[in-house]
Amino acid sequence: MIEMFKEWFDARHEYAKEWKEKTGGKVLGYFCTYVPEEILYAADVLPVRILGSHEPQDVTEPYIFGMFCPFCRDCLAQGLKGRYDYLDGIMISQSCLHIRQAYTSWEMHIPVPYSYYLPMPNNVQSPRALPYLVGEMEKFKKSVEEWTGKTITDDDLNRGIEIMNRNRELMMQVYETRKGEKPPLTGLEAMYMVVSGQMMHKDDHSSTLEGTLKELDGRNADRNVGQRLMIIGSEDDDTEFINMVEGCGATLVVDDHCTGSRYFWNTVEPNGSPLEAIAQRYIDRPRCPSKDWGERSRLPHIMKLAKDYNAAGAILVQQKFCDPHELDIPAIKNELESNDIPTLFLELDVTVPIGQFKTRVEAFLEMLMEEDLF
Amino acid sequence: MADKYPTEKLKTWGEAKDIRLGYYKDFAEAHEKGGLRWAGGAWAFDAVPAGLGDDVHSLTGEPYAASIAFNKEFSDECLEATEKYGFARDLCSYMRNYWGSILLNKYNFGGEFPKPDFIWTDHICCSHAKWYQVAAELEGGVPYYCIDVAVGPHEEADENRIEYIVGQLHDGIEWMEQVTGRTYDDNKLIEAVKNEFRSTSAWAETCALNKAIPAPLDEKSMYSLYVLGTLMKHSKVVADFYEKLRDETKDRVERGIAAVPTETTRVMTDTQPPWAFLRVFRYLEQYGCVSIGSLYTFGLIGLFEVKEDGSWGPKTTPMELGTSITNRDEALTELVKWNLAKPEWQHFYSPKYKSDMMIRIAREWKLDGVLLHYNRGCEGLSLGIAENRLALQEAGYPVMIFEGNMGDEREFDEARTMGRIDAFMETLGIMKEV
């Protein structure tokens, strides 16, 4: 069953189109994982994440200045090329400026019937963030109701929460298996799982996850795990890169990515008010660097992951020009290295210089193996 | 090129220079006089710490870093120190100059870097909260407070969004009392808030006077004037100065006094200029071309509104509207409502807001063309700039772009930019004086 996730990953557009044809429902493209999918599921809308294609392109040159990250330009390119022509709406929840440009240019040049900007608070550590976000989610819910013509009841919201939580809990169980001495799945397989889940209906994804969990016991027992690595950084669905790293004699056992663990790490805890419970979840989730202030909550979270998953080293990887991650890299690097976890820093573009990166990854792994010797 | 208009120096010029230098001196010497120091962004709510007392001085990071950038040699030292520490070269160049000044422990105005007692800032772009998070760490753990103001465009501001910011300010005042041990004075807050309204409205009125032909002010000079609003717009000194400057500018308009006596062509720019290369503006003057300002120069601190005749003019202050401000909550609420209308805060949510404002300036200030600085040093103000270019062109305005960096002289090609200006002027049909 695990192969299904790659198939969905590769055929994301076909899946969404088929879902739409089959159900007659609306599909909404979202640009950031701070989007409260619970509310969309409550309205029977299918949320699909807009991601790039890792192909060189020049269609975005008139719209986004080249100093902004290649990921935001790659996302916009997908719209300009018509690959998401089945979308009924788009939305963004406030995170970084870069992806916001992809959203606003999309809104201007690829008109869709519905678009929504959710001003998710950045000061999530303030006690003022929760009531503010609840208010914003109320407005968003009302907007979705007007768009879909469907009243969203508390029961609907609870159903949305259940759909999302079930998927999160299953993904947590999958990740739990990676803590073992012989992880039953590779980092590449885990990436296919998480990212495909961002593009398809959670019920379909969760059903397959349940089946997959049964298959994981004893799977890959003969595979040479090699060095246990964690990967930390900005959006990363570059499967070619992950495959290369694992082909050099390593296994990525855990990550801190929005295309990885940050997406599903915490659940909505019911508290009587569904919207408040949803808002609380997005405030508490493992943070994107643009929201990780005044205290640095990412450092203890990353160190706990490193410890729990017994990581021997970490690859710090970010999209070129990604300011939020660039701002956190020195602190993360220092924290890991002062805790005896060596790091390798790599900067990604839309396309990855695989040969050059392979040399650097091999050198990093050799260094880790030397430490094992002595 | 023969002069078309009379010109004369600004009478208030020396006073502006004195206020600016006094600001940096006061910050450095605050502790010697028993005062307090805080640091933060130029968009921080600087009126709020004023409630701690008259001996509280600030260092706002952007103008400080711009001062460093103007000093190319020191700027290069700062940038290299920051890169050596491990930060990426494409981050905000103000931030990198500022961190470098801390790392080198050198103050641009002489002596060691004056460590602030606390940090008070705000966050709307991706950098500001993190800028001062790092600064606080580099300073050994300075108390740090940051207010999130990224709540969407002004036209969509509602009670929930205003209350989010006001609530953070209330919490911030309690926090300041704790970290400084001082008792907060609401009357001083109210006075500072009123001064801010006066400063930012008077600056907008001054900018609006530049619609006149000839323009009484040129943008290079305006940089030395608007900066006071980025230092301490809440102070009586700056509020009084801006009203005096407005009166002088009005007088210049009435008497037909030009900033550039050969004015034949009018343009505006965009975003911060490359501070180490302000001579670009003097180069423009060889074509009889005056830059009348920019959305940046006008709207970074200036507050505007659409007047009865449909034109852009200074925003009417709450005092002029008869709004009472009698307590802390009223002062904070009015302050937040006022700041949410800031022109330069709008385009963080969509380039269409900035395009609309730029086209308005192009029309009302009677422009012949636009020079867009694709500024690698500031992702916030360069946000959506490519879309702004398309919109301006669609509105019929010739646009020249040049790539550079406000605070990293290594990323500005002066000769190429001058060459582009030559070509742009040629397309406008303007001849250079030989």
Side-chain angles (χ1 to χ4, degrees):
Chain A
M1 290 185 101
I2 203 163
E3 295 77 18
M4 283 299 295
F5 299 108
K6 180 180 184 311
E7 287 176 28
W8 276 320
F9 179 94
D10 290 338
R12 62 191 74 170
H13 301 304
E14 289 75 11
Y15 174 89
K17 285 176 194 169
E18 281 169 21
W19 181 89
K20 193 170 168 174
E21 199 176 311
K22 189 173 70 185
T23 65
K26 293 186 189 299
V27 183
L28 176 137
Y30 67 94
F31 287 81
C32 169
T33 55
Y34 275 100
V35 163
E37 291 180 73
E38 292 83 351
I39 295 173
L40 295 163
Y41 276 108
D44 298 320
V45 171
L46 175 65
V48 296
R49 186 170 181 188
I50 294 169
L51 292 172
S53 66
H54 306 282
E55 298 164 55
Q57 52 82 22
D58 60 4
V59 295
T60 57
E61 291 308 306
Y63 310 110
I64 300 181
F65 174 26
M67 68 171 273
F68 291 88
C69 83
F71 172 63
C72 70
R73 282 180 274 133
D74 199 6
C75 286
L76 177 61
Q78 304 312 303
L80 293 169
K81 289 180 172 183
R83 289 177 179 161
Y84 283 90
D85 58 359
Y86 51 86
L87 293 182
D88 301 291
I90 56 168
M91 82 170 288
I92 193 166
S93 190
Q94 182 163 265
S95 53
C96 75
L97 300 183
H98 299 241
I99 196 67
R100 196 177 305 175
Q101 286 191 110
Y103 167 76
T104 53
S105 284
W106 192 303
E107 199 180 34
M108 290 163 71
H109 304 293
I110 315 153
V112 285
Y114 178 76
S115 68
Y116 198 88
Y117 185 107
L118 179 72
M120 168 82 202
N122 292 311
N123 193 0
V124 289
Q125 297 182 21
S126 164
R128 308 288 177 166
L130 180 63
Y132 167 64
L133 185 54
V134 171
E136 290 304 322
M137 285 194 172
E138 280 168 358
K139 272 185 268 180
F140 175 53
K141 178 172 89 76
K142 193 175 168 200
S143 171
V144 172
E145 286 176 333
E146 286 168 6
W147 172 44
T148 59
K150 173 186 162 65
T151 302
I152 301 172
T153 65
D154 276 3
D155 285 345
D156 292 326
L157 287 172
N158 287 328
R159 181 170 49 82
I161 291 169
E162 278 172 27
I163 291 169
M164 291 300 296
N165 272 358
R166 175 188 173 212
N167 193 259
R168 289 170 181 140
E169 284 158 6
L170 289 165
M171 280 307 308
M172 285 297 291
Q173 288 176 42
V174 170
Y175 265 49
E176 189 67 25
T177 67
R178 302 171 77 192
K179 288 180 178 171
E181 199 175 329
K182 290 275 183 186
L185 73 164
T186 64
L188 179 63
E189 288 167 333
M191 180 175 279
Y192 281 131
M193 274 188 186
V194 183
V195 182
S196 64
Q198 297 180 342
M199 299 161 168
M200 54 188 295
H201 198 286
K202 290 288 185 294
D203 283 345
D204 290 344
H205 193 254
S206 295
S207 298
T208 309
L209 278 178
E210 278 173 352
T212 303
L213 273 164
K214 290 175 192 154
E215 287 180 3
L216 289 183
D217 193 23
R219 186 173 178 270
N220 273 344
D222 299 333
R223 183 176 171 276
N224 179 20
V225 175
Q227 294 296 316
R228 299 176 69 93
L229 299 181
M230 68 185 299
I231 186 162
I232 302 164
S234 56
E235 185 281 335
D236 182 6
D237 62 331
D238 198 309
T239 52
E240 191 183 358
F241 170 72
I242 301 295
N243 193 39
M244 178 275 287
V245 172
E246 296 196 312
C248 290
T251 299
L252 292 161
V253 290
V254 73
D255 65 82
D256 180 56
H257 279 313
C258 64
T259 32
S261 67
R262 281 209 299 275
Y263 176 63
F264 62 79
W265 205 251
N266 65 328
T267 53
V268 177
E269 302 300 325
N271 74 354
S273 161
L275 277 186
E276 188 173 327
I278 294 167
Q280 189 70 59
R281 186 264 165 190
Y282 286 88
I283 282 170
D284 291 343
R285 63 166 271 189
R287 283 163 192 150
C288 168
S290 62
K291 298 185 190 299
D292 198 33
W293 51 271
E295 300 296 322
R296 289 189 184 274
S297 67
R298 292 189 72 207
L299 299 185
H301 176 67
I302 286 168
M303 288 314 303
K304 185 166 188 326
L305 288 179
K307 189 179 168 205
D308 289 352
Y309 287 81
N310 191 23
I315 297 181
L316 308 180
V317 63
Q318 64 160 65
Q319 297 282 335
K320 192 173 173 62
F321 302 133
C322 173
D323 293 63
H325 282 277
E326 284 176 344
L327 281 156
D328 271 7
I329 292 289
I332 292 172
K333 182 177 162 65
N334 181 54
E335 184 75 8
L336 287 163
E337 292 181 353
S338 62
N339 283 283
D340 298 323
I341 299 177
T343 66
L344 172 68
F345 174 74
L346 295 172
E347 200 173 57
L348 286 168
D349 207 322
V350 167
T351 56
V352 171
I354 281 291
Q356 189 190 101
F357 276 12
K358 188 175 181 195
T359 304
R360 294 173 67 183
V361 169
E362 284 171 344
F364 182 60
L365 293 174
E366 280 174 25
M367 186 190 76
L368 292 179
M369 284 186 279
E370 279 173 16
E371 294 198 351
D372 284 351
L373 289 174
F374 303 103
Chain B
M1 194 178 285
D3 286 358
K4 288 176 67 184
Y5 307 105
T7 188
E8 65 183 35
K9 284 186 177 174
L10 274 172
K11 297 181 184 74
T12 43
W13 186 255
E15 192 178 340
K17 294 272 183 187
D18 289 344
I19 293 171
R20 179 173 168 272
L21 285 175
Y23 169 86
Y24 288 113
K25 190 163 173 277
D26 284 345
F27 183 76
E29 295 174 356
H31 283 180
E32 292 166 28
K33 297 171 184 169
L36 289 175
R37 291 198 287 239
W38 67 268
W43 276 341
F45 292 92
D46 57 347
V48 181
L52 291 174
D54 297 332
D55 57 350
V56 178
H57 299 281
S58 66
L59 182 73
T60 48
E62 300 92 333
Y64 175 66
S67 299
I68 294 175
F70 185 72
N71 180 356
K72 282 202 280 189
E73 199 173 311
F74 182 46
S75 175
D76 284 350
E77 279 182 53
C78 290
L79 296 168
E80 284 169 12
T82 303
E83 286 156 21
K84 188 178 169 195
Y85 188 84
F87 284 103
R89 192 175 154 162
D90 54 271
L91 285 168
C92 163
S93 55
Y94 278 169
M95 187 165 70
R96 288 184 289 126
N97 276 310
Y98 186 93
W99 289 342
S101 185
I102 296 175
L103 287 163
L104 296 169
N105 194 23
K106 281 188 193 171
Y107 191 45
N108 190 45
F109 299 92
E112 296 185 347
F113 187 86
K115 182 176 173 176
D117 299 298
F118 65 93
I119 283 168
W120 172 262
T121 193
D122 70 345
H123 184 76
I124 193 167
C125 76
C126 290
S127 300
H128 271 73
K130 306 297 282 188
W131 170 341
Y132 287 96
Q133 183 181 46
V134 171
E137 289 167 352
L138 293 178
E139 293 278 21
V142 175
Y144 160 93
Y145 193 89
C146 181
I147 300 118
D148 178 17
V149 299
V151 298
H154 179 238
E155 66 180 27
E156 293 174 17
D158 61 13
E159 202 177 325
N160 187 49
R161 296 179 181 187
I162 292 166
E163 183 50 37
Y164 172 50
I165 306 174
V166 172
Q168 291 175 78
L169 290 175
H170 273 292
D171 296 345
I173 289 172
E174 288 177 20
W175 174 87
M176 277 192 287
E177 286 186 313
Q178 282 173 13
V179 299
T180 65
R182 290 197 176 188
T183 304
Y184 195 80
D185 184 338
D186 288 340
N187 289 325
K188 288 191 185 300
L189 166 72
I190 293 166
E191 186 189 342
V193 164
K194 288 179 176 175
N195 285 334
E196 176 169 336
F197 297 155
R198 279 206 294 138
S199 292
T200 51
S201 183
W203 173 251
E205 192 174 354
T206 304
C207 296
L209 289 164
N210 234 22
K211 292 177 186 177
I213 296 176
L217 301 171
D218 67 286
E219 191 169 25
K220 183 175 182 297
S221 302
M222 291 170 91
Y223 291 140
S224 297
L225 301 168
Y226 93 107
V227 73
L228 303 183
T230 69
L231 304 178
M232 47 177 183
K233 55 190 173 298
H234 70 282
S235 72
K236 183 174 186 305
V237 171
V238 170
D240 289 348
F241 174 81
Y242 275 145
E243 288 177 352
K244 194 190 289 187
L245 173 69
R246 174 203 58 201
D247 293 344
E248 187 187 356
T249 308
K250 201 179 286 179
D251 177 60
R252 285 169 75 95
V253 171
E254 284 164 4
R255 293 189 294 120
I257 303 296
V260 176
T262 55
E263 177 185 318
T264 55
T265 307
R266 295 161 67 90
V267 298
M268 68 173 168
T269 69
D270 184 43
T271 86
Q272 307 90 327
W275 290 112
F277 300 94
L278 293 182
R279 56 184 167 268
V280 167
F281 289 91
R282 294 292 174 247
Y283 188 72
L284 285 173
E285 289 173 10
Q286 293 181 36
Y287 285 96
C289 178
V290 60
S291 178
I292 55 77
S294 59
L295 181 66
Y296 165 74
T297 331
F298 296 175
L300 193 79
I301 59 154
L303 266 291
F304 291 79
E305 68 187 7
V306 178
K307 309 306 270 191
E308 275 183 15
D309 65 358
S311 69
W312 232 24
K315 189 169 170 64
T316 309
T317 65
M319 294 89 80
E320 290 165 334
L321 289 169
T323 306
S324 66
I325 303 175
T326 59
N327 58 44
R328 183 183 298 185
D329 189 58
E330 286 172 2
L332 296 179
T333 303
E334 290 303 320
L335 185 66
V336 168
K337 283 157 71 175
W338 184 261
N339 275 281
L340 282 174
K342 204 184 287 288
E344 284 282 35
W345 280 11
Q346 309 313 311
H347 64 82
F348 282 92
Y349 307 103
S350 173
K352 64 188 178 197
Y353 296 109
K354 185 171 171 185
S355 295
D356 288 350
M357 289 187 284
M358 291 180 91
I359 292 166
R360 170 186 283 281
I361 293 171
R363 286 188 183 134
E364 291 183 25
W365 274 255
K366 308 167 196 76
L367 303 188
D368 301 294
V370 180
L371 272 57
L372 290 182
H373 180 199
Y374 273 30
N375 182 358
R376 298 172 67 92
C378 178
E379 62 159 358
L381 298 193
S382 298
L383 188 70
I385 196 166
E387 295 286 6
N388 302 139
R389 171 177 164 266
L390 293 174
L392 282 159
Q393 287 177 327
E394 198 175 330
Y397 292 95
V399 179
M400 180 200 117
I401 61 166
F402 64 102
E403 195 160 333
N405 192 310
M406 75 225 181
D408 189 340
E409 57 108 8
R410 299 168 302 180
E411 293 196 326
F412 184 69
D413 187 335
E414 186 179 10
R416 188 156 181 244
T417 304
M418 300 302 196
R420 276 184 168 251
I421 289 172
D422 289 337
F424 187 59
M425 291 295 145
E426 190 179 329
T427 63
L428 295 179
I430 311 296
M431 299 297 288
K432 184 158 83 169
E433 182 188 18
V434 180

Tab-separated table of all heavy atoms in Angstrom, chain A residues 312-329:
chain	number	residue	atom	x	y	z
A	312	ALA	N	22.066	11.107	14.251
A	312	ALA	CA	23.517	11.263	14.373
A	312	ALA	C	23.977	12.585	13.773
A	312	ALA	O	25.060	13.078	14.086
A	312	ALA	CB	24.215	10.109	13.668
A	313	GLY	N	23.181	13.123	12.888
A	313	GLY	CA	23.538	14.380	12.241
A	313	GLY	C	22.292	15.027	11.663
A	313	GLY	O	21.226	14.404	11.611
A	314	ALA	N	22.451	16.280	11.266
A	314	ALA	CA	21.287	16.992	10.723
A	314	ALA	C	21.666	17.729	9.451
A	314	ALA	O	22.741	18.332	9.370
A	314	ALA	CB	20.754	17.991	11.745
A	315	ILE	N	20.784	17.647	8.475
A	315	ILE	CA	20.940	18.470	7.269
A	315	ILE	C	20.015	19.671	7.417
A	315	ILE	O	18.810	19.514	7.601
A	315	ILE	CB	20.594	17.673	5.997
A	315	ILE	CG1	21.575	16.497	5.829
A	315	ILE	CG2	20.644	18.580	4.773
A	315	ILE	CD1	21.331	15.654	4.594
A	316	LEU	N	20.628	20.847	7.407
A	316	LEU	CA	19.834	22.088	7.456
A	316	LEU	C	19.663	22.536	6.012
A	316	LEU	O	20.644	22.838	5.334
A	316	LEU	CB	20.557	23.162	8.253
A	316	LEU	CG	21.042	22.767	9.653
A	316	LEU	CD1	21.751	23.931	10.326
A	316	LEU	CD2	19.876	22.302	10.508
A	317	VAL	N	18.449	22.544	5.565
A	317	VAL	CA	18.224	22.811	4.159
A	317	VAL	C	17.159	23.894	4.010
A	317	VAL	O	16.178	23.904	4.744
A	317	VAL	CB	17.825	21.499	3.424
A	317	VAL	CG1	16.539	20.939	3.945
A	317	VAL	CG2	17.777	21.673	1.938
A	318	GLN	N	17.419	24.804	3.114
A	318	GLN	CA	16.417	25.872	2.934
A	318	GLN	C	16.361	26.325	1.490
A	318	GLN	O	17.312	26.182	0.738
A	318	GLN	CB	16.768	27.055	3.817
A	318	GLN	CG	18.090	27.695	3.418
A	318	GLN	CD	18.231	29.098	3.929
A	318	GLN	OE1	18.283	29.306	5.124
A	318	GLN	NE2	18.288	30.055	3.014
A	319	GLN	N	15.224	26.858	1.152
A	319	GLN	CA	15.076	27.475	-0.157
A	319	GLN	C	15.973	28.711	-0.200
A	319	GLN	O	16.028	29.482	0.758
A	319	GLN	CB	13.625	27.909	-0.383
A	319	GLN	CG	12.627	26.784	-0.393
A	319	GLN	CD	12.620	26.020	-1.697
A	319	GLN	OE1	12.985	26.559	-2.734
A	319	GLN	NE2	12.211	24.776	-1.649
A	320	LYS	N	16.647	28.886	-1.311
A	320	LYS	CA	17.463	30.090	-1.501
A	320	LYS	C	16.596	31.334	-1.257
A	320	LYS	O	15.429	31.355	-1.637
A	320	LYS	CB	17.956	30.077	-2.944
A	320	LYS	CG	19.039	31.050	-3.303
A	320	LYS	CD	19.500	30.747	-4.718
A	320	LYS	CE	20.469	31.782	-5.245
A	320	LYS	NZ	21.705	31.885	-4.506
A	321	PHE	N	17.156	32.324	-0.602
A	321	PHE	CA	16.486	33.605	-0.294
A	321	PHE	C	15.354	33.482	0.724
A	321	PHE	O	14.567	34.417	0.882
A	321	PHE	CB	15.913	34.272	-1.555
A	321	PHE	CG	16.918	34.550	-2.630
A	321	PHE	CD1	16.666	34.221	-3.945
A	321	PHE	CD2	18.123	35.167	-2.324
A	321	PHE	CE1	17.592	34.481	-4.945
A	321	PHE	CE2	19.064	35.422	-3.318
A	321	PHE	CZ	18.795	35.078	-4.633
A	322	CYS	N	15.241	32.335	1.390
A	322	CYS	CA	14.158	32.185	2.376
A	322	CYS	C	14.553	32.891	3.667
A	322	CYS	O	15.249	32.330	4.512
A	322	CYS	CB	13.874	30.706	2.645
A	322	CYS	SG	12.699	30.471	3.986
A	323	ASP	N	14.102	34.113	3.804
A	323	ASP	CA	14.506	34.921	4.964
A	323	ASP	C	14.153	34.293	6.308
A	323	ASP	O	15.000	34.249	7.204
A	323	ASP	CB	13.886	36.324	4.879
A	323	ASP	CG	14.457	37.125	3.727
A	323	ASP	OD1	14.258	36.702	2.573
A	323	ASP	OD2	15.106	38.139	3.973
A	324	PRO	N	12.913	33.833	6.514
A	324	PRO	CA	12.596	33.290	7.849
A	324	PRO	C	13.529	32.160	8.267
A	324	PRO	O	14.009	32.129	9.406
A	324	PRO	CB	11.154	32.793	7.681
A	324	PRO	CG	10.592	33.664	6.615
A	324	PRO	CD	11.728	33.873	5.648
A	325	HIS	N	13.827	31.250	7.362
A	325	HIS	CA	14.713	30.152	7.745
A	325	HIS	C	16.157	30.614	7.872
A	325	HIS	O	16.875	30.172	8.766
A	325	HIS	CB	14.559	28.975	6.774
A	325	HIS	CG	13.317	28.187	7.058
A	325	HIS	ND1	13.273	27.208	8.023
A	325	HIS	CD2	12.067	28.283	6.568
A	325	HIS	CE1	12.041	26.722	8.093
A	325	HIS	NE2	11.292	27.367	7.219
A	326	GLU	N	16.558	31.521	7.003
A	326	GLU	CA	17.918	32.060	7.133
A	326	GLU	C	18.111	32.699	8.506
A	326	GLU	O	19.201	32.668	9.064
A	326	GLU	CB	18.172	33.116	6.054
A	326	GLU	CG	18.420	32.518	4.677
A	326	GLU	CD	18.580	33.568	3.594
A	326	GLU	OE1	18.205	34.736	3.844
A	326	GLU	OE2	19.046	33.220	2.501
A	327	LEU	N	17.051	33.277	9.016
A	327	LEU	CA	17.139	33.941	10.315
A	327	LEU	C	17.311	32.943	11.458
A	327	LEU	O	17.842	33.272	12.506
A	327	LEU	CB	15.887	34.795	10.538
A	327	LEU	CG	15.920	36.131	9.797
A	327	LEU	CD1	14.517	36.661	9.558
A	327	LEU	CD2	16.726	37.143	10.588
A	328	ASP	N	16.843	31.736	11.277
A	328	ASP	CA	16.939	30.731	12.348
A	328	ASP	C	18.151	29.820	12.222
A	328	ASP	O	18.528	29.157	13.195
A	328	ASP	CB	15.672	29.847	12.356
A	328	ASP	CG	14.577	30.433	13.235
A	328	ASP	OD1	14.751	31.563	13.721
A	328	ASP	OD2	13.546	29.759	13.427
A	329	ILE	N	18.735	29.750	11.034
A	329	ILE	CA	19.790	28.756	10.807
A	329	ILE	C	20.957	28.867	11.804
A	329	ILE	O	21.353	27.848	12.397
A	329	ILE	CB	20.309	28.824	9.341
A	329	ILE	CG1	19.225	28.353	8.367
A	329	ILE	CG2	21.596	28.020	9.159
A	329	ILE	CD1	18.911	26.879	8.383
